Amino acid sequence: MTATPTATLPIRLTPEGVMKELQRVTENITRGSQRLASYTEDQLAIATTPKDEVWRQDTVRLYRYRPIVDKPMGPPILLAYALVGRYQMIDLEPDRSFVRKLLAEGLDVYVVDWGHPTRAQRWLTIDDYVSGYLDDCVDVIRERHGVDQINLLGVCQGGVFCTCYAALFPEKIKNLVITVTPLDFHGDKALPPEPGSGYMNLWARALQPEDIDLMVETMGVAPGAAVGLSFLMMSPVLNMTKYTTELVDILDDEAKMLGFLHMERWIADRPGHPGEVLRQWFKDLYQENKLIRNELVLGDRRVDLNNIRMPVLNVYAQGDVVVPTCCSSDMGDKFGTKDYSELSVPGGHIGTFVGGKAQKVLAPSIAKWLKERNEDADA
């Protein structure tokens, strides 16, 4: 007589095992709660690299990070982050700071802080940020250092702004660096859907133009919480479990716990998004892909990427799910420059700036690339 096969569970649960795990979790929560209560504001602070405000207008501030070498490599570099997040991401923690690593490489670093837009900024357009605030920041730096050109580095949406700026004001930019920047917003359309990637592209392209108008006209300035939710919904399960099972697992690890809290502090400080910029971003870029087609008009000027004849370094992340690599890489034939380089870094969209592996590559590679072009100019 043949025995009837019985089903086996991949995990064997016993009362003793359950009680032991429950005890471990309880102890972790107890120790973690005590640790959380003991953290000081200094321990929880982010963006602590010393800097000085050198210019301001409306909600926008321009900061210069204090150099840590006697003679920083010139010309200065201006960093522009996205409007959808705060620039503190590039200076999250002392040991995970893109800015500190650039300073350690001898660069002279400025950053533009877009601030928190209010209803007063509701009607601002992309052109106001590019030809207005960004141009003012560039001119301030040029005047402070007595130079005709500076280096420009943009991150994500800030990379789009910097790309537009370099096309409209090429005489002011010596070298252009763009990181995790969407250039071809339809680069993924001809490819099979990539699991877990490109949801923002699909969602934005699926919106009806009249729905975009209604959203902008209703909200004026899109609340930061609403902007943040759109990113959280890209990975809803992951973003729920990080506050439950994952959090419990790191409560007893001080380094990981502080890293988690620093990241959450950055996430919680999500600025509102000016409505007219949002309208242009969805319609002109996500839906009509005007930037890569040289059809984007800012003010009364067309953004022609062929005007970008200065050296360009395009940095993209191998695991980027916000800006798929097919939307950001292989863009050498889209610019007017003969000096186009690409750098692929490990990690995702945010991991590019805070991930351990990427941090070993990113700042040193950018500094080396800039130094080589400065030497070529001096030769």
Side-chain angles (χ1 to χ4, degrees), residues 73 175 339 341 365-378:
M73 182 180 74
N175 298 293
D339 186 353
S341 307
S365 297
I366 291 175
K368 179 175 182 291
W369 184 85
L370 289 172
K371 183 177 180 180
E372 290 172 349
R373 276 136 193 88
N374 286 342
E375 289 174 347
D376 290 344
D378 295 337

Side-chain angles (χ1 to χ4, degrees), residues 39 166 205 242 321 338:
Y39 285 140
R205 289 198 296 258
K242 74 174 182 178
V321 299
K338 295 180 180 179

Side-chain angles (χ1 to χ4, degrees), residues 122-143:
R122 179 253 184 275
W123 297 104
L124 293 183
T125 65
I126 293 177
D127 188 51
D128 290 313
Y129 280 92
V130 172
S131 303
Y133 297 130
L134 189 57
D135 188 42
D136 287 342
C137 289
V138 170
D139 284 346
V140 167
I141 298 171
R142 292 168 65 227
E143 183 177 354

Side-chain angles (χ1 to χ4, degrees), residues 130-368:
V130 172
S131 303
Y133 297 130
L134 189 57
D135 188 42
D136 287 342
C137 289
V138 170
D139 284 346
V140 167
I141 298 171
R142 292 168 65 227
E143 183 177 354
R144 283 173 58 89
H145 291 265
V147 296
D148 294 327
Q149 297 178 318
I150 70 165
N151 297 314
L152 192 58
L153 188 154
V155 180
C156 187
Q157 186 183 38
V160 173
F161 289 3
C162 289
T163 300
C164 293
Y165 186 87
L168 295 176
F169 302 91
E171 71 281 1
K172 298 183 182 182
I173 302 303
K174 183 176 179 61
N175 298 293
L176 173 65
V177 181
I178 50 177
T179 60
V180 294
T181 296
L183 295 171
D184 183 354
F185 284 74
H186 290 181
D188 59 324
K189 289 186 74 172
L191 300 175
E194 206 173 310
S197 177
Y199 290 156
M200 194 68 72
N201 296 32
L202 297 173
W203 171 66
R205 289 198 296 258
L207 292 171
Q208 295 299 313
E210 56 268 25
D211 290 334
I212 296 174
D213 292 335
L214 179 62
M215 176 174 61
V216 170
E217 289 157 13
T218 300
M219 294 189 298
V221 174
V227 175
L229 179 63
S230 65
F231 286 99
L232 291 176
M233 291 308 294
M234 293 179 67
S235 303
V237 175
L238 178 63
N239 283 298
M240 287 293 291
T241 57
K242 74 174 182 178
Y243 297 116
T244 54
T245 55
E246 291 185 22
L247 181 57
V248 169
D249 285 339
I250 66 171
L251 279 173
D252 204 29
D253 187 318
E254 183 166 1
K256 289 183 178 179
M257 190 64 205
L258 277 173
F260 176 86
L261 293 173
H262 291 146
M263 180 65 74
E264 289 303 300
R265 188 165 205 174
W266 174 75
I267 291 174
D269 188 23
R270 183 79 67 176
H273 201 284
E276 290 306 310
V277 173
L278 196 66
R279 193 197 308 266
Q280 289 176 286
W281 192 257
F282 279 145
K283 285 188 171 184
D284 289 349
L285 298 176
Y286 269 122
Q287 296 195 337
E288 299 184 34
N289 203 25
K290 289 183 176 181
L291 177 63
I292 206 67
R293 294 174 178 171
N294 295 325
E295 297 173 357
L296 180 65
V297 175
L298 300 184
D300 58 356
R301 303 174 68 188
R302 182 172 62 90
V303 178
D304 186 348
L305 301 185
N306 291 300
N307 291 334
I308 299 179
R309 299 187 178 92
M310 74 288 295
V312 175
L313 175 60
N314 183 6
V315 181
Y316 64 92
Q318 298 165 6
D320 198 334
V321 299
V322 179
V323 180
T325 56
C326 53
C327 297
S328 60
S329 63
D330 297 324
M331 299 292 169
D333 61 343
K334 306 300 182 182
F335 299 98
T337 183
K338 295 180 180 179
D339 186 353
Y340 174 87
S341 307
E342 288 194 350
L343 174 65
S344 172
V345 296
H349 195 71
I350 301 302
T352 298
F353 302 96
V354 299
K357 292 181 179 179
Q359 286 237 323
K360 294 177 182 178
V361 175
L362 187 61
S365 297
I366 291 175
K368 179 175 182 291

